[in-house]
Amino acid sequence: GDGRMGVVYNGSDWNFSSRIRVSFTASGTTDGGLEFGGSMRADQATAATNGTAASVYISGAFGKLSMGDVVGASEALFGDYYEVGYTDLSSMDGYGNDIMYLTGDNGGNVGKNVATMAATSTGSATTTFSVANTGPNLLYTGTFGAFSVAASMSDGKANSTDASQEYAIAGAYTFGNYTVGLGYEYLDGRFTGTSTDSSTTPPTVTVGTVDGKADMVTLAGVAQFGNTSVKAHIAHAGKDLDIDYYGIGASSVFGATTVGGYVQHAKFNGSNEDVTWYGLGAEYDLGGGATIKGGVADNDLTGSDMVADLGVKFSF
Amino acid sequence: GDGRMGVVYNGSDWNFSSRIRVSFTASGTTDGGLEFGGSMRADQATAATNGTAASVYISGAFGKLSMGDVVGASEALFGDYYEVGYTDLSSMDGYGNDIMYLTGDNGGNVGKNVATMAATSTGSATTTFSVANTGPNLLYTGTFGAFSVAASMSDGKANSTDASQEYAIAGAYTFGNYTVGLGYEYLDGRFTGTSTDSSTTPPTVTVGTVDGKADMVTLAGVAQFGNTSVKAHIAHAGKDLDIDYYGIGASSVFGATTVGGYVQHAKFNGSNEDVTWYGLGAEYDLGGGATIKGGVADNDLTGSDMVADLGVKFSF
Amino acid sequence: GDGRMGVVYNGSDWNFSSRIRVSFTASGTTDGGLEFGGSMRADQATAATNGTAASVYISGAFGKLSMGDVVGASEALFGDYYEVGYTDLSSMDGYGNDIMYLTGDNGGNVGKNVATMAATSTGSATTTFSVANTGPNLLYTGTFGAFSVAASMSDGKANSTDASQEYAIAGAYTFGNYTVGLGYEYLDGRFTGTSTDSSTTPPTVTVGTVDGKADMVTLAGVAQFGNTSVKAHIAHAGKDLDIDYYGIGASSVFGATTVGGYVQHAKFNGSNEDVTWYGLGAEYDLGGGATIKGGVADNDLTGSDMVADLGVKFSF
């Protein structure tokens, strides 16, 4: 296969561009000495090759530079909570064990997480926001002694049609079994806003372009106590957003058994609404890469039911 | 890569859920010691990952449990007839060397085969049936001495939107060069029926939901006589269907050459129509995985022409 | 995986048919002795399996026979110019380092290159041509001493719906560091022509089927002078086309550094228009498969800007 990463000037703007292709070649020889074979490239999957479902990297003493479908700086250092269930149960209105960062981890959709969070519902009117795919992100991570640093950005442009941009920096310090870190993410986004007023028949739908700015400060900590790992974060999203968001999760290993869970809470100060969600799961390692895993998850939103799963996971 | 299989409770129903993903990672080192690489996952192909074009399994002394795009119990034990031609020539109105079982082998489309068979045409009016994709199937197979058993089912629900369900059990007994087996398949399906009356201008099209039940009993036998293998089956589909269906096929190996063929007949007692179809083919093994293969196939439907092919097949 | 290539008779016509599938199988064993695994086939990508994004071959002393997404006979022997930039910069209105041959190298779209070239614009009226995908191409190449020969053709039919056909033959002779070659390509195509007259409001759009013939003679030469490789071609497209087309390119290797470029010119005698385009690039080999590469490209069309890129390429 082959990969590439760099910047392209298209006549008016510089854009990030990355691609990875996997080549399959196969061949054989008949008893009579004829050779046969074939080739195929997995580059037809457009998402994988335009940098939104794959990544390439180059690394050295300076750290590691990745381009493509990479996470933002904060997530690169702090990660998510313990994954509950064999399917991660994130189908529950999008609330799962992931920590919702402002930038990155979005397949090139700048502002995707915040667009979801910014949806509003007032009386008979609801407004949702969506974003255009804006191509590959760039992530730098480096570790220097006890310090880890990360920086990420999107060029915010897919063929120069989107003005959205995002940046993030994060740092972490590890001492013994404890790690603390701080991240700052900034988003200057252009969203497609769709407002629906269901008080009329048919509903009145208004579609427009909404420019918005947001930033997020995330303070996170991880501690290891014997067989138990505890992670917590507290974050605030500001500018056009006003969200207080925190969570805590833990997992413990008892021989082949691991149990874990999390609880997260977000307060949307603008609409004075809030949501709490949590999950609890366990897994048993069968060895060789097979694990029995299950979990339950729920949130306190009206009309939302508990979800659960139980299955076998394989790692090859 | 990684795989998983299990059941998920979505708040109102338990559903089967399986997935397999293949990860491609590649890396290298420059002369100066920089490392580079990339990664890509073949999980963007939705069909492969939601269990309709791939499968995962776990097996042991108890037998083998598979989930995903797996065949039904009867097909797991009895299989199909000798494949005629290098492309299998199944483009001929769907009639090929496959034995049409009631369940399984349908990529999660519960009732797909029977929906095709249930199409009716009366005067100027035709009615066709289609099914929604209902997600992964579950198959169990086990061999205990001379006895083989299989059981399969679909949860009949893709996101709980389809009420279709299917079940099948089958057993086979092998003595020397002979195997006989019996399978029972049951289908409780919800179909989308589309009736078109071409006597009006424009044609009158009526679309509705049709609930239907069907079952199928299949008796199959395989015998090995020297270099020749013979397979035959006789089946009856009942409940809302009334179809008599039987076929016979054989293949003989002469050194590097194999010749084979089949003839199948189905009688649709409801509409008093019937169809006979057959195929004849040969192949020559070049060794090393390359085979020259060709065949002809035809049926006795009005307006249907004979089809043929000739080519090289490679196995890597 | 498996592959196949051959011809299929569908009741009225013989058609080329090729396919390659890659199978992924993975398995493991738990500590308790259970086996688990999964399988997935990369044949869901339709383009790859119907012969327009992959190829299969069989070769021996007679030469090599390939079917699928293969180039035409002329391109098989003469190739393209030095690739400028890490992305090849072909986004520039389609003009890049590729030599535009009449046949092949088009994913089964017979006449694609010529359809692009045949577009006309007169006053307020523009006419563009498009082609239907016509399935796999067949390519034969062979080398006998100092002589290389190639022949290619398309069956011009995707499910018998397209009447387009194409053929090409080419030969080359190598003496010392010099190679000269001559290729002849012939195209009997059926195009979809779309004429748009923007002088009316709304614009008047006319869509029709256009049958057209074209041929192209290409004379090409390659010479190696020390570390420098020079390639040049001169071609004429005739029949319903009247295009004079030539170009020259070169690349030089200085240790780990390679610099290269090309300039191409096409004169459309019918519309009395012409275009010149060129590119200049350089690359530095980091070893181990990593290369820093960049370039600039431009053409003399009105409203077209220079494009540029700079990035890292990986080969795994």
Side-chain angles (χ1 to χ4, degrees):
Chain A
D2 60 273
R4 65 188 196 192
M5 56 189 277
V7 289
V8 177
Y9 181 75
N10 67 0
S12 59
D13 273 311
W14 287 94
N15 289 275
F16 292 157
S17 169
S18 68
R19 184 180 76 176
I20 180 169
R21 302 190 300 192
V22 180
S23 297
F24 308 102
T25 58
S27 62
T29 307
T30 69
D31 297 344
L34 290 176
E35 294 180 7
F36 59 90
S39 63
M40 183 169 130
R41 280 198 325 236
D43 65 336
Q44 311 306 325
T46 309
T49 59
N50 67 11
T52 59
S55 63
V56 289
Y57 71 85
I58 186 163
S59 66
F62 69 90
K64 182 177 181 179
L65 195 65
S66 306
M67 189 183 284
D69 180 20
V70 292
V71 300
S74 295
E75 183 162 11
L77 295 191
F78 312 144
D80 294 313
Y81 290 120
Y82 172 78
E83 189 197 62
V84 164
Y86 90 101
T87 61
D88 89 3
L89 294 172
S90 64
S91 58
M92 188 184 61
D93 299 325
Y95 294 109
N97 64 290
D98 284 359
I99 299 178
M100 293 187 295
Y101 294 99
L102 183 65
T103 65
D105 195 23
N106 47 30
N109 296 300
V110 170
K112 184 183 175 192
N113 282 351
V114 73
T116 303
M117 288 190 282
T120 60
S121 180
T122 313
S124 60
T126 59
T127 302
T128 60
F129 299 93
S130 64
V131 292
N133 189 303
T134 51
N137 292 333
L138 185 69
L139 170 68
Y140 164 77
T141 54
T143 299
F144 306 95
F147 289 95
S148 297
V149 295
S152 63
M153 64 177 291
S154 163
D155 67 350
K157 293 187 284 284
N159 303 320
S160 288
T161 58
D162 193 298
S164 300
Q165 306 230 2
E166 65 179 28
Y167 311 90
I169 55 169
Y173 178 70
T174 300
F175 47 107
N177 290 324
Y178 303 91
T179 299
V180 294
L182 187 68
Y184 178 76
E185 303 171 272
Y186 178 79
L187 170 70
D188 183 354
R190 175 161 292 175
F191 303 90
T192 302
T194 306
S195 297
T196 306
D197 186 341
S198 60
S199 65
T200 62
T201 304
T204 306
V205 177
T206 313
V207 178
T209 297
V210 181
D211 284 339
K213 287 179 174 55
D215 65 2
M216 183 179 257
V217 178
T218 303
L219 176 67
V222 181
Q224 187 76 27
F225 306 104
N227 294 327
T228 299
S229 175
V230 177
K231 183 187 291 188
H233 87 283
I234 179 165
H236 178 78
K239 303 282 182 191
D240 296 342
L241 294 178
D242 186 2
I243 303 173
D244 291 310
Y245 172 36
Y246 53 85
I248 186 167
S251 61
S252 295
V253 179
F254 310 100
T257 305
T258 302
V259 297
Y262 64 85
V263 54
Q264 299 197 67
H265 178 85
K267 175 81 185 300
F268 303 91
N269 297 312
S271 59
N272 202 29
E273 294 177 328
D274 69 284
V275 55
T276 303
W277 67 101
Y278 54 90
L280 188 64
E283 62 191 287
Y284 183 82
D285 186 356
L286 298 169
T291 305
I292 297 181
K293 193 169 182 182
V296 296
D298 202 357
N299 61 48
D300 66 352
L301 293 176
T302 305
S304 177
D305 290 315
M306 192 192 77
V307 297
D309 70 13
L310 178 63
V312 190
K313 290 196 78 155
F314 308 133
S315 175
F316 306 114
Chain B
D2 60 274
R4 66 188 195 190
M5 58 189 275
V7 289
V8 177
Y9 181 76
N10 66 0
S12 59
D13 273 312
W14 287 95
N15 289 275
F16 292 158
S17 170
S18 68
R19 184 180 74 178
I20 181 168
R21 301 191 299 193
V22 180
S23 298
F24 307 101
T25 57
S27 61
T29 306
T30 69
D31 296 345
L34 291 175
E35 295 180 6
F36 59 90
S39 63
M40 184 169 129
R41 281 199 325 237
D43 65 336
Q44 311 306 324
T46 310
T49 58
N50 67 11
T52 59
S55 63
V56 290
Y57 71 86
I58 186 164
S59 66
F62 69 91
K64 182 177 180 179
L65 195 65
S66 306
M67 189 182 284
D69 180 19
V70 292
V71 300
S74 295
E75 183 162 12
L77 294 191
F78 313 143
D80 293 313
Y81 290 120
Y82 173 78
E83 189 197 61
V84 163
Y86 91 100
T87 62
D88 91 4
L89 294 173
S90 63
S91 58
M92 187 185 61
D93 299 326
Y95 293 108
N97 64 291
D98 284 359
I99 298 178
M100 293 189 295
Y101 294 99
L102 185 65
T103 65
D105 196 23
N106 47 29
N109 297 300
V110 170
K112 184 183 175 191
N113 281 352
V114 73
T116 304
M117 287 189 285
T120 61
S121 179
T122 313
S124 61
T126 59
T127 302
T128 60
F129 299 92
S130 64
V131 293
N133 188 303
T134 52
N137 291 334
L138 185 70
L139 170 68
Y140 163 78
T141 54
T143 300
F144 306 96
F147 289 95
S148 296
V149 296
S152 63
M153 64 177 292
S154 163
D155 68 349
K157 292 187 285 285
N159 303 321
S160 286
T161 58
D162 192 298
S164 299
Q165 306 230 359
E166 66 179 28
Y167 310 90
I169 55 170
Y173 177 70
T174 301
F175 48 105
N177 290 325
Y178 303 92
T179 299
V180 293
L182 188 68
Y184 179 76
E185 302 171 271
Y186 179 79
L187 171 70
D188 184 355
R190 175 162 293 176
F191 303 90
T192 301
T194 306
S195 296
T196 306
D197 186 341
S198 59
S199 66
T200 62
T201 304
T204 306
V205 177
T206 313
V207 178
T209 297
V210 181
D211 285 339
K213 288 178 173 55
D215 64 2
M216 184 178 257
V217 178
T218 304
L219 176 66
V222 182
Q224 187 75 27
F225 306 103
N227 293 328
T228 299
S229 175
V230 178
K231 184 186 290 188
H233 87 283
I234 178 165
H236 178 77
K239 303 284 182 189
D240 296 341
L241 294 178
D242 186 1
I243 304 173
D244 290 310
Y245 173 36
Y246 53 85
I248 187 167
S251 62
S252 294
V253 179
F254 309 100
T257 304
T258 302
V259 297
Y262 64 85
V263 56
Q264 300 196 68
H265 177 84
K267 174 79 185 301
F268 304 90
N269 297 312
S271 58
N272 202 31
E273 294 177 328
D274 68 282
V275 56
T276 302
W277 68 102
Y278 53 90
L280 188 63
E283 61 192 286
Y284 182 81
D285 187 355
L286 298 170
T291 305
I292 296 180
K293 193 169 182 182
V296 297
D298 202 357
N299 61 47
D300 66 354
L301 293 176
T302 306
S304 177
D305 291 315
M306 193 193 76
V307 295
D309 69 13
L310 177 63
V312 191
K313 289 196 77 154
F314 309 133
S315 175
F316 305 113
Chain C
D2 60 274
R4 65 189 196 191
M5 57 190 274
V7 288
V8 177
Y9 181 75
N10 67 359
S12 59
D13 273 311
W14 288 95
N15 289 275
F16 292 157
S17 170
S18 67
R19 184 179 76 178
I20 180 169
R21 301 191 300 193
V22 180
S23 298
F24 308 101
T25 58
S27 61
T29 307
T30 69
D31 297 344
L34 291 175
E35 295 179 7
F36 59 89
S39 63
M40 183 168 129
R41 282 200 324 239
D43 65 337
Q44 311 306 324
T46 309
T49 59
N50 67 11
T52 58
S55 62
V56 290
Y57 70 85
I58 186 163
S59 66
F62 68 91
K64 181 177 181 179
L65 195 65
S66 307
M67 189 183 283
D69 180 20
V70 292
V71 300
S74 295
E75 183 163 12
L77 295 190
F78 313 145
D80 294 313
Y81 290 120
Y82 172 78
E83 188 197 63
V84 163
Y86 90 100
T87 62
D88 90 4
L89 294 172
S90 63
S91 58
M92 188 185 61
D93 299 325
Y95 294 109
N97 65 290
D98 285 359
I99 297 179
M100 294 188 294
Y101 293 100
L102 184 65
T103 66
D105 195 23
N106 48 30
N109 296 300
V110 169
K112 184 183 175 192
N113 281 352
V114 72
T116 303
M117 287 189 285
T120 61
S121 180
T122 313
S124 60
T126 60
T127 302
T128 61
F129 299 92
S130 63
V131 292
N133 188 302
T134 51
N137 292 333
L138 185 69
L139 170 68
Y140 164 78
T141 55
T143 300
F144 307 95
F147 289 94
S148 297
V149 295
S152 63
M153 64 178 291
S154 162
D155 67 351
K157 293 187 286 285
N159 304 319
S160 287
T161 57
D162 193 297
S164 298
Q165 306 229 3
E166 65 178 30
Y167 311 90
I169 54 170
Y173 178 70
T174 301
F175 46 106
N177 289 325
Y178 303 91
T179 299
V180 294
L182 187 68
Y184 178 76
E185 303 170 272
Y186 178 79
L187 170 71
D188 183 354
R190 174 161 293 175
F191 303 90
T192 301
T194 304
S195 296
T196 306
D197 185 341
S198 59
S199 65
T200 63
T201 304
T204 306
V205 177
T206 313
V207 178
T209 297
V210 181
D211 284 338
K213 287 179 174 54
D215 64 1
M216 184 179 257
V217 178
T218 304
L219 176 67
V222 181
Q224 187 75 28
F225 306 104
N227 294 326
T228 299
S229 175
V230 177
K231 183 186 292 189
H233 87 283
I234 178 164
H236 179 77
K239 304 284 181 190
D240 295 343
L241 294 177
D242 186 1
I243 304 174
D244 290 310
Y245 172 36
Y246 52 85
I248 186 167
S251 61
S252 296
V253 179
F254 309 100
T257 305
T258 302
V259 297
Y262 64 85
V263 56
Q264 299 197 68
H265 177 85
K267 174 82 185 298
F268 304 91
N269 297 311
S271 59
N272 202 30
E273 295 176 329
D274 68 283
V275 56
T276 302
W277 67 103
Y278 54 90
L280 187 63
E283 62 192 286
Y284 183 83
D285 186 355
L286 298 170
T291 305
I292 297 181
K293 193 169 182 181
V296 297
D298 201 358
N299 61 48
D300 66 353
L301 293 176
T302 306
S304 176
D305 290 315
M306 191 192 78
V307 296
D309 70 13
L310 178 62
V312 190
K313 289 196 79 155
F314 308 133
S315 175
F316 305 114

